[in-house]
Amino acid sequence: MFWFRNLSKFSTTTTLPRSKTTLLSPRFTFLISRFTTATETPVSGSTGLAPHAGLAPTKPHEKPRVVVLGTGWAGCRLMKGLDTAIYDIVCVSPRNHMVFTPLLASTCVGTLEFRSVAEPIARIQPAISREPGSYFFLANCTGVDVDKHEVQCETVTEGTQALDPWKFSIAYDKLVIALGAQPTTFGIHGVLEHAIFLREVYHAQEIRRKLLLNLMMSDVPGIGEEEKKRLLHCVVVGGGPTGVEFSGELSDFIMRDVRQRYSHVKDYIHVTLIEANEILSSFDVRLRRYATKQLTKSGVRLVRGIVKDVDDQKIILNDGTEVPYGLLVWSTGVGPSSVVSSWDLPKSPGGRIGIDEWLRVPSVQDVYAIGDCSGFVESTGKPILPALAQVAERQGKYLASLLNKVGKANGGRANSAIDIELGDPFVYKHLGSMATVGSYKALVDLRESKEGKGVALAGFVSWFIWRSAYLTRVISWRNRFYVAINWATTFVFGRDISRI
Amino acid sequence: MFWFRNLSKFSTTTTLPRSKTTLLSPRFTFLISRFTTATETPVSGSTGLAPHAGLAPTKPHEKPRVVVLGTGWAGCRLMKGLDTAIYDIVCVSPRNHMVFTPLLASTCVGTLEFRSVAEPIARIQPAISREPGSYFFLANCTGVDVDKHEVQCETVTEGTQALDPWKFSIAYDKLVIALGAQPTTFGIHGVLEHAIFLREVYHAQEIRRKLLLNLMMSDVPGIGEEEKKRLLHCVVVGGGPTGVEFSGELSDFIMRDVRQRYSHVKDYIHVTLIEANEILSSFDVRLRRYATKQLTKSGVRLVRGIVKDVDDQKIILNDGTEVPYGLLVWSTGVGPSSVVSSWDLPKSPGGRIGIDEWLRVPSVQDVYAIGDCSGFVESTGKPILPALAQVAERQGKYLASLLNKVGKANGGRANSAIDIELGDPFVYKHLGSMATVGSYKALVDLRESKEGKGVALAGFVSWFIWRSAYLTRVISWRNRFYVAINWATTFVFGRDISRI
């Protein structure tokens, strides 16, 4: 506190030799003195952190603690539903917001703004920032000790000079693992280095910056025709909903905005969608045909092929065809993340964390897993659920009410829920799928399963349903409002092309 | 074009052995064939760029070419006003947008969004992206050859893997240098490494990310009291309008949003404003006193001091006082940029590019300089104008009509304007200054000069004038609309705290 005392010295004494460091305000003295009341413990090292710091097990006078790992659909829906009168919530995640993933593709070309699809955790569950025992930690979970009821964490600092990452541990009464999955690369060389995924806001930012950079680079005097075509060739690998929606958004952007704002290069830009099997394979066959027709009409080239290798300027297909690209987006689905795989927990077929019908991890106490990182263990006889937002969201909601029920029955503490009746197990009912294909057209598939019967819509009405559904689903009123405003201004003024 | 021909081969022949690379769409053949009509020149190297590429001098059947260096207030106002029926415009700048600098401080804490204060050049002057002879190049100007009437440029690629920066040249008929200035550091060690300036959108983004990171880091279990205080100590060096407005915005953010959303650490966060002389020295003395009172009331510590050295976690003042900080923002004014200083052009006192009363660079043909990079040469007997947006904006407007006049009199070509009557010289009339100090309070100083008399207002009415003035000044209707929407949602929902 030397520096503060030093400053206050100048403000209270006048006998000292006059220095350049004098104060403008008489109120300053008060502020200083209020500030110096804090303890003056010596700081060791640059972090001021005690070794083995952390949150100790909860005491009887404290609320039991639910530790939630992850801030995706599953974790956020759970936190929203947890009764904060019963539990303290501690959330650990490398991002302090939830991403509204179905609208992420729209942000890559400026149809929506990044912040319109990101919801801060503090807005989803305000207790996190207000309750004395609830916290959000910007950190990665590195390990779980199920016997000690403790998780190990390490802060995320992103190479900021003044901060070293440091480790701490958190004791839990209940642990919910909702860490999601990671994009699959099928071990193909070069994907991690050269392709961009589309899972986080920073991915969308990178795509937007690169797309605008390539548009401007291709206009530079003296650049060859081949290079111009390469720079403006956008390749999307993976024909699932994300790949299809991104391709549709890109072609909308090209048809409306590039033609107007980059008219020098408008004939050079093209989109190619590469898929090994069929696009939108989970959708009804008529919808698939409709999507194929629509995308082709908007100028998206659909190529059936398998990627063998990815270079910094071209991809090589299985048959040897070389495809030069300027932008490569990879959306071939997700698989278990490496950190989750490395933990010594029961596994489901396919390597996800195994769960029973009540979403508990079998054979350990007080640990639950939800969302893309979890899958039913074989003994339940249930199939692994698809890695969809609606599965994660439904599991989060179910587990919140389960934990609230357990907490009300005095089972909130560690190792205290053994004899509590849990009620009905979790049952998933598919509500249908939606995807937009650009040009104000979308697909709505309301069948309960791939083989089932039901309503399947395509076209403008579906697109309207798609927009309305998302508008009511975006969590906060603030973001609902901004998504509507973004859509309206895109319609009136076109997309924003400032590269910031 | 091998890969495209290869792809099209599969779509038109069926006798070939079936491959994984087949096409989904019959329309694809057409697309391919249209695409292959382009020339098939061999590409040399990775850029496909001919050596010494560039834009050659304009031919008699082409419009004369105005090359504008820079996209600040001066350059953008000029481009907006140029008659595109007379001239082709070529703009060279490392950013494709103009930044509405007076509102930049508001974006650091989320009162406004980044894109609301960034205006794409294509929206300011649509001809840039539509006219065949007009261009925007994302590049830095590295040199000027006034004899050859040519500028040398190098593309901005920001370390993108697949792109090497490359050089090209542009011949001009008229050249307008509007490169602005760069922040002054007074040669103080560590400023460039550890402090953040507040001149560009990416500065504001860095401040926002760092502020939110520090807020979250300070909440991590086990962190010491000293370190918590350091992380949450925001230091602003420089008490000009930018420093004062940023301090005001920060204290608003702390008082409203931090208290609600980071209640665990709310008592640790503080703002200190360090200024060697007086804050807002160009304003009326009563307004200065009012600003001092307001800032102090909002908890901003005002310290008079001179910074001697900047370390990664603390700054050292002239008298030896050490001030630990978590965020350091540097806004001590601007000086001539190093690239401009290195050019062999006439200079004004203080090292700016010298100009006469018609904003021409004396002794060279067809070169003009406007905005912060320019200053009247001594022989004009006029003082150097302050580095203000309104000076730059007025100069841009004046030069646009001057060049339009010259162009109409057939003086648009290189070396053809020697005998044309230029009319009235540029005269600057100061319209007054405005600054906000937070808490819905602002200062409006409508005196014509520092010594002059005139209206000086402070308080809520001024704040309302401040907002209204900026709202009508933000250039496009899209951004006016977004600024109004941002202000409204900040008022209703608070500031956005997602760290994306």
Side-chain angles (χ1 to χ4, degrees):
Chain A
M1 296 307 292
F2 170 72
W3 63 281
F4 266 126
R5 264 180 286 137
N6 197 343
L7 287 182
S8 70
K9 194 168 63 179
F10 284 107
S11 64
T12 50
T13 59
T14 48
T15 51
L16 276 166
R18 185 154 175 82
S19 147
K20 289 270 156 98
T21 312
T22 52
L23 296 165
L24 291 178
S25 133
R27 198 184 149 83
F28 191 65
T29 328
F30 163 70
L31 287 165
I32 294 281
S33 59
R34 197 180 53 176
F35 211 62
T36 48
T37 53
T39 56
E40 299 192 23
T41 41
V43 183
S44 66
S46 65
T47 61
L49 184 78
H52 310 299
L55 296 184
T58 51
K59 312 228 160 34
H61 66 274
E62 293 170 333
K63 286 186 263 184
R65 181 186 301 145
V66 179
V67 173
V68 182
L69 308 180
T71 49
W73 281 91
C76 288
R77 187 62 189 83
L78 169 87
M79 287 191 278
K80 189 184 163 86
L82 276 180
D83 188 341
T84 54
I86 303 175
Y87 291 107
D88 276 331
I89 305 171
V90 174
C91 177
V92 179
S93 172
R95 64 176 196 208
N96 79 338
H97 55 273
M98 182 198 151
V99 181
F100 195 82
T101 41
L103 292 182
L104 197 54
S106 302
T107 66
C108 300
V109 293
T111 311
L112 293 179
E113 275 317 316
F114 302 119
R115 279 171 199 281
S116 307
V117 305
E119 193 73 63
I121 307 306
R123 218 185 279 142
I124 294 171
Q125 178 48 273
I128 278 272
S129 55
R130 287 182 197 161
E131 293 291 316
S134 290
Y135 294 96
F136 171 80
F137 297 135
L138 194 78
N140 284 309
C141 178
T142 51
V144 179
D145 187 330
V146 292
D147 297 326
K148 283 177 72 181
H149 270 59
E150 191 181 89
V151 291
Q152 285 88 42
C153 306
E154 191 176 289
T155 57
V156 173
T157 53
E158 288 176 16
T160 307
Q161 295 167 318
L163 297 170
D164 295 320
W166 65 77
K167 296 175 201 303
F168 58 95
S169 58
I170 308 167
Y172 60 81
D173 290 297
K174 307 286 172 198
L175 175 67
V176 182
I177 306 173
L179 286 165
Q182 70 185 25
T184 48
T185 64
F186 308 107
I188 297 166
H189 168 259
V191 175
L192 287 176
E193 293 85 346
H194 307 298
I196 310 176
F197 300 116
L198 189 45
R199 309 258 307 154
E200 302 282 350
V201 171
Y202 64 83
H203 292 143
Q205 287 171 323
E206 195 183 342
I207 291 171
R208 187 153 160 183
R209 286 182 66 83
K210 191 151 188 186
L211 184 63
L212 293 174
L213 181 67
N214 288 353
L215 274 164
M216 290 186 275
M217 281 301 113
S218 60
D219 207 9
V220 165
I223 192 169
E225 291 283 309
E226 286 295 307
E227 177 68 359
K228 222 177 220 183
K229 270 176 216 157
R230 179 190 74 75
L231 280 170
L232 295 180
H233 190 215
C234 307
V235 175
V236 183
V237 178
T242 305
V244 166
E245 293 200 343
F246 176 66
S247 305
E249 283 284 349
L250 253 182
S251 68
D252 277 1
F253 174 65
I254 292 167
M255 289 207 289
R256 174 160 181 193
D257 301 87
V258 173
R259 287 194 185 166
Q260 252 187 44
R261 309 246 174 87
Y262 296 95
S263 60
H264 302 126
V265 296
K266 65 179 191 296
D267 297 329
Y268 292 92
I269 188 163
H270 286 103
V271 184
T272 300
L273 175 60
I274 300 178
E275 164 62 46
N277 301 301
E278 271 186 289
I279 64 163
L280 299 174
S281 57
S282 67
F283 281 73
D284 180 272
V285 63
R286 286 164 303 157
L287 294 183
R288 288 207 297 271
R289 263 188 236 127
Y290 180 86
T292 306
K293 206 181 105 204
Q294 270 305 322
L295 288 173
T296 313
K297 210 166 134 188
S298 338
V300 176
R301 279 192 284 258
L302 299 170
V303 173
R304 194 175 283 191
I306 292 174
V307 176
K308 196 174 75 181
D309 195 63
V310 177
D311 204 343
D312 67 340
Q313 300 196 5
K314 62 176 187 284
I315 57 177
I316 296 144
L317 301 184
N318 240 3
D319 63 353
T321 314
E322 296 191 348
V323 185
Y325 69 84
L327 173 74
L328 176 60
V329 175
W330 196 267
S331 63
T332 56
V334 294
S337 70
S338 49
V339 61
V340 162
S341 301
S342 72
W343 292 349
D344 186 23
L345 290 172
K347 294 280 152 64
S348 75
R352 301 188 187 188
I353 298 175
I355 49 172
D356 68 12
E357 289 152 294
W358 290 269
L359 314 182
R360 299 176 298 186
V361 179
S363 81
V364 294
Q365 278 295 311
D366 300 317
V367 181
Y368 305 79
I370 52 178
D372 296 357
C373 72
S374 70
F376 291 120
V377 289
E378 233 163 332
S379 59
T380 61
K382 289 192 170 192
I384 305 295
L385 295 172
L388 290 176
Q390 58 176 315
V391 174
E393 196 262 346
R394 230 78 62 73
Q395 288 185 331
K397 190 179 171 188
Y398 170 87
L399 187 57
S401 52
L402 185 91
L403 286 177
N404 290 343
K405 191 176 173 182
V406 166
K408 273 182 198 132
N410 286 319
R413 302 270 160 211
N415 300 312
S416 69
I418 298 159
D419 301 322
I420 292 170
E421 176 57 51
L422 296 180
D424 293 332
F426 174 76
V427 177
Y428 175 68
K429 191 165 168 287
H430 189 68
L431 288 183
S433 312
M434 293 192 289
T436 168
V437 289
S439 323
Y440 304 103
K441 304 281 194 310
L443 318 173
V444 174
D445 189 343
L446 298 176
R447 299 171 309 152
E448 278 181 32
S449 72
K450 211 175 156 176
E451 293 73 34
K453 289 206 179 299
V455 184
L457 291 172
F460 179 76
V461 174
S462 303
W463 176 84
F464 193 80
I465 294 174
W466 175 80
R467 284 223 163 166
S468 317
Y470 282 136
L471 206 50
T472 52
R473 264 205 198 167
V474 173
I475 289 169
S476 70
W477 278 102
R478 183 191 173 281
N479 277 4
R480 272 178 218 187
F481 177 72
Y482 264 107
V483 166
I485 291 285
N486 288 165
W487 276 335
T489 49
T490 296
F491 187 77
V492 177
F493 301 103
R495 293 168 179 84
D496 179 75
I497 55 159
S498 50
R499 184 170 178 274
I500 58 173
Chain B
M1 298 307 293
F2 170 73
W3 62 282
F4 265 128
R5 263 181 287 139
N6 196 343
L7 288 182
S8 70
K9 194 169 64 180
F10 284 109
S11 64
T12 50
T13 59
T14 47
T15 51
L16 278 166
R18 185 154 177 83
S19 147
K20 288 272 156 97
T21 312
T22 52
L23 297 165
L24 292 178
S25 130
R27 197 185 149 85
F28 190 63
T29 326
F30 163 68
L31 287 165
I32 294 279
S33 60
R34 197 179 53 176
F35 210 64
T36 46
T37 54
T39 56
E40 296 192 24
T41 41
V43 183
S44 66
S46 67
T47 61
L49 185 77
H52 310 299
L55 295 185
T58 52
K59 309 224 162 40
H61 67 275
E62 293 171 332
K63 287 187 260 185
R65 181 187 298 145
V66 179
V67 173
V68 181
L69 308 180
T71 49
W73 281 92
C76 287
R77 187 62 188 82
L78 169 86
M79 287 190 278
K80 190 184 162 87
L82 277 180
D83 186 342
T84 54
I86 303 176
Y87 292 107
D88 276 332
I89 306 171
V90 174
C91 177
V92 178
S93 172
R95 65 178 196 207
N96 79 338
H97 56 273
M98 180 198 153
V99 180
F100 196 81
T101 41
L103 293 181
L104 197 55
S106 302
T107 65
C108 300
V109 294
T111 311
L112 293 179
E113 274 317 317
F114 302 119
R115 277 169 199 281
S116 308
V117 304
E119 193 74 61
I121 307 305
R123 218 186 277 142
I124 294 172
Q125 178 48 274
I128 277 271
S129 55
R130 286 182 196 160
E131 293 291 315
S134 290
Y135 294 97
F136 171 80
F137 296 135
L138 194 78
N140 284 309
C141 178
T142 52
V144 178
D145 187 330
V146 291
D147 296 325
K148 282 176 74 181
H149 270 58
E150 191 182 271
V151 291
Q152 284 86 43
C153 306
E154 192 176 290
T155 56
V156 173
T157 52
E158 289 175 18
T160 308
Q161 295 167 318
L163 297 171
D164 294 320
W166 65 75
K167 295 175 200 309
F168 58 94
S169 58
I170 309 169
Y172 60 81
D173 289 297
K174 308 285 172 200
L175 174 67
V176 181
I177 306 173
L179 286 165
Q182 69 184 27
T184 49
T185 64
F186 308 107
I188 298 166
H189 169 257
V191 176
L192 286 176
E193 292 85 346
H194 307 299
I196 310 176
F197 301 115
L198 189 45
R199 310 256 308 153
E200 301 282 349
V201 171
Y202 64 82
H203 293 145
Q205 287 171 323
E206 195 183 342
I207 291 171
R208 186 152 160 184
R209 285 181 67 82
K210 192 152 188 187
L211 183 64
L212 292 174
L213 180 68
N214 288 353
L215 275 163
M216 289 186 276
M217 280 302 113
S218 61
D219 206 10
V220 165
I223 192 168
E225 292 283 310
E226 286 294 310
E227 177 67 358
K228 223 178 221 184
K229 269 177 215 154
R230 180 189 74 76
L231 280 171
L232 296 181
H233 189 215
C234 307
V235 176
V236 183
V237 178
T242 305
V244 167
E245 293 201 342
F246 176 66
S247 306
E249 284 284 349
L250 253 181
S251 68
D252 277 1
F253 174 65
I254 293 166
M255 290 206 289
R256 173 157 182 196
D257 302 86
V258 173
R259 287 195 185 166
Q260 250 187 47
R261 309 248 175 85
Y262 296 95
S263 59
H264 301 126
V265 295
K266 66 179 189 295
D267 297 329
Y268 291 92
I269 188 163
H270 285 103
V271 184
T272 299
L273 176 60
I274 300 179
E275 163 62 47
N277 301 301
E278 273 185 289
I279 63 162
L280 297 175
S281 56
S282 67
F283 280 73
D284 181 271
V285 63
R286 285 165 302 159
L287 294 184
R288 287 207 297 271
R289 263 188 237 128
Y290 180 85
T292 306
K293 207 181 104 203
Q294 269 305 324
L295 287 173
T296 313
K297 210 165 134 189
S298 336
V300 176
R301 281 192 283 258
L302 298 169
V303 174
R304 196 176 281 192
I306 292 174
V307 176
K308 197 173 74 177
D309 195 61
V310 177
D311 204 345
D312 67 338
Q313 301 197 5
K314 62 177 188 283
I315 58 177
I316 297 144
L317 301 184
N318 239 3
D319 63 353
T321 315
E322 295 191 349
V323 185
Y325 69 85
L327 174 73
L328 176 60
V329 174
W330 195 268
S331 63
T332 57
V334 294
S337 69
S338 49
V339 61
V340 163
S341 302
S342 72
W343 291 349
D344 185 23
L345 289 171
K347 294 280 151 64
S348 75
R352 300 188 189 187
I353 297 175
I355 48 171
D356 68 12
E357 289 152 293
W358 289 271
L359 314 182
R360 297 176 298 186
V361 180
S363 81
V364 294
Q365 278 295 310
D366 301 317
V367 181
Y368 304 80
I370 50 178
D372 296 357
C373 72
S374 69
F376 289 120
V377 289
E378 233 162 331
S379 58
T380 60
K382 290 193 170 189
I384 305 295
L385 295 172
L388 291 176
Q390 57 176 316
V391 174
E393 197 261 347
R394 230 77 64 72
Q395 289 186 328
K397 191 179 171 189
Y398 170 86
L399 188 57
S401 51
L402 185 91
L403 287 177
N404 290 342
K405 193 176 172 182
V406 166
K408 273 181 198 134
N410 286 319
R413 300 271 159 209
N415 299 312
S416 68
I418 298 160
D419 300 322
I420 292 169
E421 177 54 51
L422 296 180
D424 293 331
F426 175 76
V427 178
Y428 176 67
K429 190 162 171 287
H430 189 67
L431 288 183
S433 311
M434 294 192 288
T436 169
V437 289
S439 321
Y440 303 104
K441 304 280 195 306
L443 318 174
V444 175
D445 189 342
L446 297 176
R447 299 171 308 149
E448 277 181 32
S449 73
K450 211 175 157 175
E451 292 73 35
K453 288 204 181 299
V455 184
L457 291 171
F460 180 76
V461 173
S462 303
W463 176 83
F464 194 79
I465 293 174
W466 176 80
R467 285 223 162 167
S468 315
Y470 282 138
L471 206 49
T472 53
R473 263 204 198 170
V474 173
I475 287 168
S476 71
W477 278 103
R478 184 192 173 280
N479 277 5
R480 275 179 216 186
F481 176 72
Y482 264 107
V483 167
I485 291 285
N486 287 165
W487 275 335
T489 49
T490 296
F491 187 78
V492 177
F493 301 105
R495 292 169 179 83
D496 178 75
I497 55 160
S498 50
R499 184 171 179 272
I500 57 173

